mmCIF file of all heavy atoms in Angstrom:
data_model
loop_
_atom_site.group_PDB
_atom_site.id
_atom_site.type_symbol
_atom_site.label_atom_id
_atom_site.label_comp_id
_atom_site.label_asym_id
_atom_site.label_seq_id
_atom_site.Cartn_x
_atom_site.Cartn_y
_atom_site.Cartn_z
ATOM 1 N N LEU A 1 12.411 3.399 -34.769
ATOM 2 C CA LEU A 1 12.214 3.446 -33.316
ATOM 3 C C LEU A 1 13.566 3.665 -32.643
ATOM 4 O O LEU A 1 14.507 2.905 -32.869
ATOM 5 C CB LEU A 1 11.602 2.138 -32.818
ATOM 6 C CG LEU A 1 10.254 1.742 -33.432
ATOM 7 C CD1 LEU A 1 9.899 0.316 -33.040
ATOM 8 C CD2 LEU A 1 9.169 2.700 -33.017
ATOM 9 N N ASP A 2 13.665 4.710 -31.833
ATOM 10 C CA ASP A 2 14.887 5.009 -31.081
ATOM 11 C C ASP A 2 14.828 4.392 -29.695
ATOM 12 O O ASP A 2 13.767 4.321 -29.079
ATOM 13 C CB ASP A 2 15.062 6.515 -30.906
ATOM 14 C CG ASP A 2 15.730 7.177 -32.083
ATOM 15 O OD1 ASP A 2 16.332 6.474 -32.914
ATOM 16 O OD2 ASP A 2 15.651 8.417 -32.170
ATOM 17 N N VAL A 3 15.993 4.002 -29.204
ATOM 18 C CA VAL A 3 16.130 3.519 -27.831
ATOM 19 C C VAL A 3 16.653 4.675 -26.992
ATOM 20 O O VAL A 3 17.658 5.297 -27.339
ATOM 21 C CB VAL A 3 17.112 2.328 -27.757
ATOM 22 C CG1 VAL A 3 17.326 1.904 -26.320
ATOM 23 C CG2 VAL A 3 16.619 1.173 -28.603
ATOM 24 N N THR A 4 15.970 4.988 -25.908
ATOM 25 C CA THR A 4 16.447 6.003 -24.964
ATOM 26 C C THR A 4 16.552 5.361 -23.587
ATOM 27 O O THR A 4 15.692 4.579 -23.195
ATOM 28 C CB THR A 4 15.502 7.219 -24.898
ATOM 29 O OG1 THR A 4 14.214 6.787 -24.496
ATOM 30 C CG2 THR A 4 15.404 7.913 -26.240
ATOM 31 N N CYS A 5 17.631 5.686 -22.880
ATOM 32 C CA CYS A 5 17.874 5.090 -21.562
ATOM 33 C C CYS A 5 18.121 6.183 -20.536
ATOM 34 O O CYS A 5 18.857 7.143 -20.804
ATOM 35 C CB CYS A 5 19.075 4.143 -21.612
ATOM 36 S SG CYS A 5 18.891 2.812 -22.812
ATOM 37 N N ALA A 6 17.536 6.026 -19.365
ATOM 38 C CA ALA A 6 17.630 7.013 -18.299
ATOM 39 C C ALA A 6 18.913 6.887 -17.475
ATOM 40 O O ALA A 6 19.233 7.785 -16.713
ATOM 41 C CB ALA A 6 16.420 6.901 -17.378
ATOM 42 N N ASN A 7 19.655 5.808 -17.633
ATOM 43 C CA ASN A 7 20.874 5.578 -16.856
ATOM 44 C C ASN A 7 22.093 5.733 -17.769
ATOM 45 O O ASN A 7 22.142 5.138 -18.836
ATOM 46 C CB ASN A 7 20.818 4.171 -16.259
ATOM 47 C CG ASN A 7 21.894 3.921 -15.244
ATOM 48 O OD1 ASN A 7 23.040 4.305 -15.447
ATOM 49 N ND2 ASN A 7 21.539 3.250 -14.159
ATOM 50 N N LYS A 8 23.080 6.533 -17.333
ATOM 51 C CA LYS A 8 24.270 6.817 -18.149
ATOM 52 C C LYS A 8 25.029 5.572 -18.577
ATOM 53 O O LYS A 8 25.569 5.521 -19.672
ATOM 54 C CB LYS A 8 25.246 7.725 -17.395
ATOM 55 C CG LYS A 8 24.812 9.131 -17.226
ATOM 56 C CD LYS A 8 25.944 9.994 -16.730
ATOM 57 C CE LYS A 8 26.268 9.662 -15.287
ATOM 58 N NZ LYS A 8 27.180 10.652 -14.675
ATOM 59 N N LYS A 9 25.081 4.577 -17.718
ATOM 60 C CA LYS A 9 25.866 3.392 -18.046
ATOM 61 C C LYS A 9 25.267 2.604 -19.217
ATOM 62 O O LYS A 9 25.913 1.727 -19.782
ATOM 63 C CB LYS A 9 26.065 2.493 -16.824
ATOM 64 C CG LYS A 9 24.831 1.785 -16.339
ATOM 65 C CD LYS A 9 25.139 0.935 -15.125
ATOM 66 C CE LYS A 9 23.901 0.243 -14.605
ATOM 67 N NZ LYS A 9 24.191 -0.568 -13.436
ATOM 68 N N LEU A 10 24.041 2.942 -19.612
ATOM 69 C CA LEU A 10 23.369 2.255 -20.719
ATOM 70 C C LEU A 10 23.518 2.984 -22.051
ATOM 71 O O LEU A 10 22.865 2.640 -23.031
ATOM 72 C CB LEU A 10 21.892 2.054 -20.384
ATOM 73 C CG LEU A 10 21.657 1.098 -19.220
ATOM 74 C CD1 LEU A 10 20.258 1.243 -18.675
ATOM 75 C CD2 LEU A 10 21.931 -0.332 -19.639
ATOM 76 N N ARG A 11 24.415 3.959 -22.135
ATOM 77 C CA ARG A 11 24.642 4.668 -23.402
ATOM 78 C C ARG A 11 25.028 3.741 -24.545
ATOM 79 O O ARG A 11 24.632 3.984 -25.693
ATOM 80 C CB ARG A 11 25.682 5.767 -23.215
ATOM 81 C CG ARG A 11 25.111 6.947 -22.493
ATOM 82 C CD ARG A 11 26.030 8.125 -22.482
ATOM 83 N NE ARG A 11 25.386 9.218 -21.761
ATOM 84 C CZ ARG A 11 26.036 10.201 -21.226
ATOM 85 N NH1 ARG A 11 27.354 10.268 -21.324
ATOM 86 N NH2 ARG A 11 25.394 11.151 -20.591
ATOM 87 N N PRO A 12 25.793 2.673 -24.300
ATOM 88 C CA PRO A 12 26.086 1.756 -25.410
ATOM 89 C C PRO A 12 24.835 1.159 -26.043
ATOM 90 O O PRO A 12 24.795 0.915 -27.245
ATOM 91 C CB PRO A 12 26.949 0.666 -24.762
ATOM 92 C CG PRO A 12 27.582 1.324 -23.588
ATOM 93 C CD PRO A 12 26.550 2.303 -23.092
ATOM 94 N N VAL A 13 23.791 0.951 -25.250
ATOM 95 C CA VAL A 13 22.534 0.411 -25.774
ATOM 96 C C VAL A 13 21.890 1.429 -26.706
ATOM 97 O O VAL A 13 21.412 1.086 -27.792
ATOM 98 C CB VAL A 13 21.564 0.024 -24.636
ATOM 99 C CG1 VAL A 13 20.240 -0.468 -25.180
ATOM 100 C CG2 VAL A 13 22.190 -1.018 -23.720
ATOM 101 N N MET A 14 21.917 2.697 -26.331
ATOM 102 C CA MET A 14 21.324 3.744 -27.169
ATOM 103 C C MET A 14 22.066 3.886 -28.494
ATOM 104 O O MET A 14 21.453 4.184 -29.515
ATOM 105 C CB MET A 14 21.307 5.083 -26.426
ATOM 106 C CG MET A 14 20.378 5.096 -25.243
ATOM 107 S SD MET A 14 20.135 6.717 -24.474
ATOM 108 C CE MET A 14 21.778 7.195 -24.016
ATOM 109 N N GLY A 15 23.372 3.659 -28.482
ATOM 110 C CA GLY A 15 24.159 3.790 -29.699
ATOM 111 C C GLY A 15 24.118 2.579 -30.604
ATOM 112 O O GLY A 15 24.251 2.696 -31.826
ATOM 113 N N ALA A 16 23.931 1.393 -30.030
ATOM 114 C CA ALA A 16 24.031 0.157 -30.814
ATOM 115 C C ALA A 16 22.689 -0.483 -31.161
ATOM 116 O O ALA A 16 22.628 -1.346 -32.016
ATOM 117 C CB ALA A 16 24.888 -0.860 -30.059
ATOM 118 N N CYS A 17 21.614 -0.060 -30.500
ATOM 119 C CA CYS A 17 20.322 -0.734 -30.702
ATOM 120 C C CYS A 17 19.279 0.225 -31.269
ATOM 121 O O CYS A 17 19.306 1.425 -30.988
ATOM 122 C CB CYS A 17 19.813 -1.300 -29.378
ATOM 123 S SG CYS A 17 20.919 -2.507 -28.626
ATOM 124 N N GLU A 18 18.361 -0.349 -32.032
ATOM 125 C CA GLU A 18 17.261 0.419 -32.601
ATOM 126 C C GLU A 18 16.127 -0.522 -32.967
ATOM 127 O O GLU A 18 16.283 -1.740 -32.927
ATOM 128 C CB GLU A 18 17.705 1.187 -33.839
ATOM 129 C CG GLU A 18 18.121 0.291 -34.992
ATOM 130 C CD GLU A 18 18.570 1.074 -36.205
ATOM 131 O OE1 GLU A 18 18.576 2.311 -36.163
ATOM 132 O OE2 GLU A 18 18.920 0.439 -37.206
ATOM 133 N N GLY A 19 15.025 0.063 -33.324
ATOM 134 C CA GLY A 19 13.876 -0.735 -33.730
ATOM 135 C C GLY A 19 13.348 -0.285 -35.075
ATOM 136 O O GLY A 19 13.638 0.815 -35.539
ATOM 137 N N GLN A 20 12.561 -1.148 -35.674
ATOM 138 C CA GLN A 20 11.956 -0.892 -36.981
ATOM 139 C C GLN A 20 10.524 -1.410 -36.964
ATOM 140 O O GLN A 20 10.279 -2.527 -36.515
ATOM 141 C CB GLN A 20 12.768 -1.625 -38.050
ATOM 142 C CG GLN A 20 12.543 -1.155 -39.436
ATOM 143 C CD GLN A 20 13.384 0.048 -39.778
ATOM 144 O OE1 GLN A 20 14.363 0.355 -39.101
ATOM 145 N NE2 GLN A 20 13.017 0.748 -40.812
ATOM 146 N N MET A 21 9.587 -0.610 -37.470
ATOM 147 C CA MET A 21 8.195 -1.038 -37.535
ATOM 148 C C MET A 21 7.795 -1.237 -38.997
ATOM 149 O O MET A 21 7.153 -0.392 -39.590
ATOM 150 C CB MET A 21 7.268 -0.007 -36.895
ATOM 151 C CG MET A 21 7.243 -0.082 -35.429
ATOM 152 S SD MET A 21 5.825 0.733 -34.650
ATOM 153 C CE MET A 21 5.535 2.151 -35.640
ATOM 154 N N THR A 22 8.190 -2.342 -39.568
ATOM 155 C CA THR A 22 7.831 -2.623 -40.955
ATOM 156 C C THR A 22 6.521 -3.386 -41.061
ATOM 157 O O THR A 22 5.880 -3.368 -42.102
ATOM 158 C CB THR A 22 8.937 -3.428 -41.654
ATOM 159 O OG1 THR A 22 9.178 -4.623 -40.920
ATOM 160 C CG2 THR A 22 10.216 -2.623 -41.755
ATOM 161 N N ARG A 23 6.136 -4.060 -39.974
ATOM 162 C CA ARG A 23 4.900 -4.852 -39.975
ATOM 163 C C ARG A 23 3.855 -4.307 -39.006
ATOM 164 O O ARG A 23 2.959 -5.015 -38.596
ATOM 165 C CB ARG A 23 5.220 -6.305 -39.642
ATOM 166 C CG ARG A 23 6.049 -6.981 -40.725
ATOM 167 C CD ARG A 23 6.407 -8.360 -40.327
ATOM 168 N NE ARG A 23 7.719 -8.278 -39.683
ATOM 169 C CZ ARG A 23 8.327 -9.297 -39.103
ATOM 170 N NH1 ARG A 23 7.755 -10.462 -39.067
ATOM 171 N NH2 ARG A 23 9.509 -9.145 -38.559
ATOM 172 N N GLY A 24 3.990 -3.067 -38.612
ATOM 173 C CA GLY A 24 3.008 -2.451 -37.726
ATOM 174 C C GLY A 24 3.367 -2.561 -36.255
ATOM 175 O O GLY A 24 4.410 -3.087 -35.879
ATOM 176 N N LEU A 25 2.488 -2.050 -35.412
ATOM 177 C CA LEU A 25 2.712 -1.990 -33.963
ATOM 178 C C LEU A 25 2.790 -3.354 -33.299
ATOM 179 O O LEU A 25 3.423 -3.507 -32.264
ATOM 180 C CB LEU A 25 1.591 -1.198 -33.291
ATOM 181 C CG LEU A 25 1.557 0.298 -33.549
ATOM 182 C CD1 LEU A 25 0.298 0.888 -32.951
ATOM 183 C CD2 LEU A 25 2.786 0.964 -32.975
ATOM 184 N N SER A 26 2.164 -4.339 -33.881
ATOM 185 C CA SER A 26 2.098 -5.644 -33.226
ATOM 186 C C SER A 26 3.396 -6.449 -33.315
ATOM 187 O O SER A 26 3.598 -7.372 -32.548
ATOM 188 C CB SER A 26 0.955 -6.467 -33.804
ATOM 189 O OG SER A 26 1.196 -6.723 -35.172
#
């Protein structure tokens, strides 16, 4: 799962954070 942010100042969040779905959507 990728993090995308609409505000430029949040680029560090896009580079440092991510998600993983190992146990499904829930």
Side-chain angles (χ1 to χ4, degrees):
L1 302 170
D2 275 344
V3 176
T4 59
C5 302
N7 191 317
K8 289 192 289 191
K9 70 180 179 180
L10 294 163
R11 285 189 180 158
V13 177
M14 293 189 302
C17 300
E18 65 181 1
Q20 197 84 17
M21 281 198 324
T22 57
R23 294 177 267 175
L25 290 173
S26 63

